[in-house]
Amino acid sequence: MWKFIVRRLLITTPQIVLLSAIVFILAQLMPGDALTGLIDPTVKQERLEELRVQLGLDNPWYIQYRDWVAGIVQGDFGRSFIYKMDVTELIGQRIVNTIWLSVVSVFFIYAIGLPLGIISGRYNDRLIDQLITGYTYIGFATPIFIFGLIAVWIFGFVLGWFPTGGSVAPGLDPGTLEYYLSKIHHVLLPALSIALIGTVGTVQYLRSEIVDTKQRDFIITARAKGASESRVYNRHIFRNSILPIAAFFGYEIVNLINGTVLIEQIFSYPGMGNLFLESIVRRDTTVAITLVLISGIGAILGALLSDIILSMVDPRIRIK
Amino acid sequence: MGVSIVSREQTQTEIEKNNEQENKDVDSQKSSSGLVIFWKELLNDKLALVSLIFFTLVTLFVFGVSLILDQDQVVRVDLFAIYEPPSSEFWLGTDYGGRDVFGQLIIGTRNSLSIGFLVTLISGVIGVVFGVVSGYFGGHVDNFLMRIVDFFMVLPFFMLVIVFVSVAPDYNVWTFSLIMAAFLWMGIARLIRSKALQEKELDYAQASRTLGSSHFSIIFKQVLPNITSLVVVTMTLNLAANIGIESGLSFLGFGFPEDTPSLGTLLSYTTNPTTLEERWWIWLPAAILILLLMLAVRNVGEALKRAADARQRRA
């Protein structure tokens, strides 16, 4: 297993280097640089040139790339010229919201997906299974943002059950009970939208795993020994079917990163995706580029996590 | 001289007759061709049949109507007719520029479908070539190419497409399709690769190699035709997904420019909360149409998938 993990880690390194190179090239292509925010009539052109030299913006690309990477390793991502603050600080405020949204979404993905998958697999081809399969079929074809739009329209505007924007009601002191309740109230609808569409894969996979496992010899043996039906399901079938689901956990991160951009926009939720779109529109290059880099590294590490879990639960992968 | 020509013609027709006879005999023995199998499967699956009819009708309608409908006229701003609710003049009302929503819906559907086809085609070609080469050669080539696929799979696709769209120097429908396709070919590459890995071990590929066929001709003339059904199935399912992705990008404002509306453009008007809350006629028809189109294409794709796999056929 360790051999596999080390080899997998060796692949991760070039992935991150390649990602950083792509992001760096994109940053060069994007209009504006660290000094764009300073351009105004009171600042002389000569002074700007001086600052450019000072910041090393006239260096050849490989030196700029080296300096950029060196800065990132030390946690210095540059400054946002719109918010006039360090990118690290700006993203720090927003990332908390996105992580909170992601955690609640992942919770719902499993809280909805596991029971539905188990019921669907256990009672396959009965009415309840057909209903669940119908749901996954439609859910699979539904784009997350259309579901989100209709959800915010019906439950946010028409019925008024949920807030339609923000991450917390204004005017509440952090730390109070109302503050936390308001945070939960604000996150529920976006998280449920992500989860109801995102869990479809889990349900389908778990169902086919269980239907598959049901017919294995060791299940027949367990039944022959006289194990009760609930014991067969809980101890034998479920345990075997749940492992690959656990391994997909890391890939959920990759999906979430793509999904939150759309969902945060629909629910005007102040997270990373929202900040990303705003910084693209307002040409705040340093912020946009840093967000791409962070999301990319997050996704690469998520995939790494999945493969490591998979190698732990499935011995066949280790041998390869 | 003349006599010989006649006799040659005679023999020619005789041979043809014989051939026809033989063909008939063979036909009665061999299993029906791919198209026939698919047709049988469709007739058996009413949902897929209805989906195919629906999709064909919508496609014919939007392409037909947009021949007479002038795109410039539809997107022309009319300040005297802002936010009109549905009426006999404007079937689905008007948007913030007084533009007819129904006309935009038709043109939007046409544009969404066109870009869907284009992106599916480009990403399909890249994916198929990548996959079949990787699977056919195997070993180090395969290992290297698959690491590239792995890398693309974990990239934050949505963000990168948005960045590329915002920096693309000459931005139009073609660059947009290329950018989208550049991040959407990996799934099909993986699938085709695993199939090509099995296929190249079969006797016909080995025999062809022994007879001296070049790798190129084995890959593209022999292996590829044998996995066509898989390619068709995957591309159909991808088409459904690509329509959704395109409308998602247009919804965020990083798809089509506003003078070439897509279905996502109509949804993007919901960034104005009042539109989302009160003027449902602007965005809800587009949302429902995207859903129906994606479901229809998917239904057809699933039927194709069953037809391609003899074990799953219902017919």
Side-chain angles (χ1 to χ4, degrees):
Chain A
M1 187 177 87
W2 288 112
K3 219 171 138 190
F4 171 81
I5 293 178
V6 169
R7 275 185 53 188
R8 187 61 185 73
L9 276 172
L10 284 179
I11 300 172
T12 307
T13 322
Q15 280 187 340
I16 291 179
V17 173
L18 207 56
L19 174 77
S20 76
I22 292 175
V23 166
F24 179 74
I25 293 169
L26 282 174
Q28 305 299 305
L29 292 173
M30 284 177 85
D33 59 30
L35 293 175
T36 315
L38 287 176
I39 296 177
D40 78 63
T42 58
V43 182
K44 283 199 184 114
Q45 193 63 32
E46 293 83 49
R47 174 76 186 125
L48 275 180
E49 284 307 314
E50 225 172 88
L51 273 171
R52 286 182 71 87
V53 176
Q54 220 175 21
L55 286 169
L57 291 173
D58 59 335
N59 286 336
W61 64 268
Y62 49 90
I63 295 189
Q64 283 199 43
Y65 178 65
R66 194 198 61 196
D67 292 347
W68 180 69
V69 171
I72 287 171
V73 173
Q74 294 164 16
D76 172 21
F77 291 95
R79 282 178 74 80
S80 155
F81 78 79
I82 287 182
Y83 286 93
K84 313 273 187 230
M85 66 199 297
D86 278 342
V87 172
T88 329
E89 202 185 323
L90 177 64
I91 292 178
Q93 296 171 355
R94 300 294 194 96
I95 210 169
V96 181
N97 285 334
T98 298
I99 290 176
W100 166 235
L101 173 64
S102 308
V103 168
V104 180
S105 303
V106 168
F107 169 76
F108 280 127
I109 285 178
Y110 291 115
I112 298 168
L114 296 184
L116 287 188
I118 293 168
I119 293 170
S120 189
R122 180 164 177 173
Y123 304 106
N124 66 314
D125 297 333
R126 306 240 200 108
L127 179 68
I128 181 94
D129 170 48
Q130 282 164 353
L131 287 176
I132 295 172
T133 313
Y135 156 64
T136 59
Y137 196 85
I138 294 172
F140 211 83
T142 310
I144 196 162
F145 73 100
I146 289 189
F147 188 76
L149 265 182
I150 293 177
V152 79
W153 180 51
I154 294 178
F155 298 106
F157 285 111
V158 178
L159 297 174
W161 291 354
F162 293 97
T164 55
S167 71
V168 69
L172 289 175
D173 291 325
T176 58
L177 183 64
E178 282 86 21
Y179 179 81
Y180 290 116
L181 285 178
S182 167
K183 282 212 100 142
I184 293 175
H185 195 202
H186 277 77
V187 87
L188 270 180
L189 196 57
L192 275 172
S193 305
I194 294 178
L196 281 170
I197 297 297
T199 196
V200 162
T202 310
V203 178
Q204 282 179 337
Y205 196 87
L206 194 56
R207 176 186 185 273
S208 67
E209 274 295 304
I210 289 178
V211 172
D212 216 40
T213 316
K214 261 179 166 171
Q215 296 150 356
R216 297 275 181 80
D217 288 343
F218 73 91
I219 297 301
I220 299 172
T221 313
R223 285 227 173 82
K225 282 193 310 187
S228 70
E229 200 62 7
S230 67
R231 192 182 161 86
V232 168
Y233 273 97
N234 295 339
R235 299 293 289 271
H236 296 276
I237 297 180
F238 185 57
R239 268 202 186 177
N240 271 281
S241 311
I242 198 73
L243 294 181
I245 300 284
F248 284 138
F249 176 71
Y251 284 113
E252 292 291 348
I253 297 174
V254 184
N255 289 332
L256 276 175
I257 286 172
N258 285 325
T260 46
V261 177
L262 284 161
I263 286 296
E264 287 182 5
Q265 175 74 5
I266 290 167
F267 291 89
S268 322
Y269 188 83
M272 276 167 65
N274 202 288
L275 179 66
F276 171 73
L277 290 175
E278 186 196 318
S279 58
I280 287 275
V281 172
R282 298 174 72 178
R283 305 275 174 202
D284 199 353
T285 304
T286 24
V287 179
I289 274 316
T290 310
L291 285 169
V292 176
L293 186 70
I294 290 178
S295 309
I297 291 177
I300 288 173
L301 294 182
L304 175 73
L305 183 69
S306 262
D307 283 355
I308 290 179
I309 300 178
L310 200 61
S311 82
M312 287 199 275
V313 299
D314 192 342
R316 281 169 303 179
I317 290 171
R318 275 178 246 162
I319 298 160
K320 228 170 51 176
Chain B
M1 189 84 180
V3 177
S4 77
I5 288 176
V6 170
S7 68
R8 215 156 85 203
E9 272 174 358
Q10 268 176 348
T11 41
Q12 196 98 30
T13 44
E14 262 169 42
I15 290 172
E16 270 168 17
K17 260 187 196 162
N18 281 342
N19 270 349
E20 259 169 41
Q21 194 58 44
E22 265 173 37
N23 279 343
K24 264 183 199 159
D25 289 348
V26 172
D27 270 348
S28 58
Q29 286 164 15
K30 80 172 180 192
S31 56
S32 26
S33 76
L35 221 64
V36 176
I37 293 175
F38 171 58
W39 192 238
K40 277 186 188 160
E41 185 70 34
L42 254 189
L43 288 179
N44 219 270
D45 183 350
K46 293 287 175 289
L47 189 63
L49 188 64
V50 171
S51 299
L52 185 66
I53 294 170
F54 169 75
F55 184 76
T56 318
L57 285 182
V58 169
T59 311
L60 288 177
F61 180 74
V62 295
F63 278 90
V65 170
S66 55
L67 283 180
I68 8 173
L69 208 65
D70 187 9
Q71 180 167 309
D72 294 328
Q73 203 191 325
V74 170
V75 297
R76 188 178 299 146
V77 174
D78 178 2
L79 293 176
F80 294 105
I82 293 175
Y83 288 139
E84 297 241 359
S87 63
S88 56
E89 189 188 355
F90 304 108
W91 289 359
L92 284 173
T94 58
D95 68 0
Y96 75 93
R99 292 169 290 199
D100 180 23
V101 172
F102 188 70
Q104 286 190 71
L105 195 65
I106 289 172
I107 289 187
T109 311
R110 186 199 66 184
N111 290 342
S112 282
L113 286 177
S114 314
I115 199 104
F117 279 120
L118 196 62
V119 169
T120 310
L121 199 68
I122 301 173
S123 59
V125 169
I126 304 174
V128 167
V129 171
F130 208 93
V132 82
V133 166
S134 182
Y136 176 79
F137 286 108
H140 288 302
V141 178
D142 179 41
N143 208 350
F144 177 71
L145 293 180
M146 280 304 115
R147 291 297 81 75
I148 298 180
V149 170
D150 286 348
F151 176 67
F152 270 87
M153 292 283 257
V154 296
L155 286 178
F157 154 80
F158 235 81
M159 288 181 151
L160 276 175
V161 170
I162 289 171
V163 173
F164 271 102
V165 164
S166 69
V167 300
D170 182 26
Y171 185 63
N172 56 39
V173 173
W174 286 95
T175 32
F176 178 50
S177 324
L178 281 175
I179 293 170
M180 263 183 80
F183 294 95
L184 288 170
W185 53 273
M186 297 83 70
I188 192 165
R190 267 200 180 166
L191 210 68
I192 298 298
R193 173 233 174 212
S194 62
K195 189 75 182 164
L197 266 178
Q198 302 165 4
E199 204 72 16
K200 70 152 184 192
E201 297 297 337
L202 297 182
D203 288 341
Y204 79 90
Q206 299 290 336
S208 183
R209 186 71 197 137
T210 320
L211 284 169
S213 310
S214 68
H215 288 306
F216 183 86
S217 94
I218 298 177
I219 291 178
F220 291 102
K221 290 186 184 155
Q222 291 157 25
V223 172
L224 200 53
N226 273 300
I227 52 181
T228 336
S229 59
L230 187 67
V231 175
V232 172
V233 170
T234 323
M235 300 241 294
T236 314
L237 292 175
N238 280 358
L239 174 65
N242 291 343
I243 293 174
I245 293 170
E246 179 274 318
S247 47
L249 284 164
S250 297
F251 163 71
L252 291 177
F254 295 96
F256 283 95
E258 212 170 272
D259 58 348
T260 3
S262 92
L263 288 174
T265 317
L266 283 167
L267 293 176
S268 72
Y269 296 147
T270 56
T271 35
N272 178 347
T274 330
T275 301
L276 180 60
E277 191 181 351
E278 288 162 8
R279 296 185 273 265
W280 56 269
W281 63 86
I282 295 176
W283 63 274
L284 197 59
I288 293 171
L289 194 56
I290 294 174
L291 263 181
L292 287 179
L293 282 174
M294 285 178 69
L295 266 174
V297 176
R298 227 184 113 71
N299 286 339
V300 177
E302 290 289 335
L304 270 173
K305 197 171 167 185
R306 283 197 309 272
D309 182 356
R311 281 169 303 178
Q312 292 184 17
R313 263 174 228 157
R314 287 180 191 170

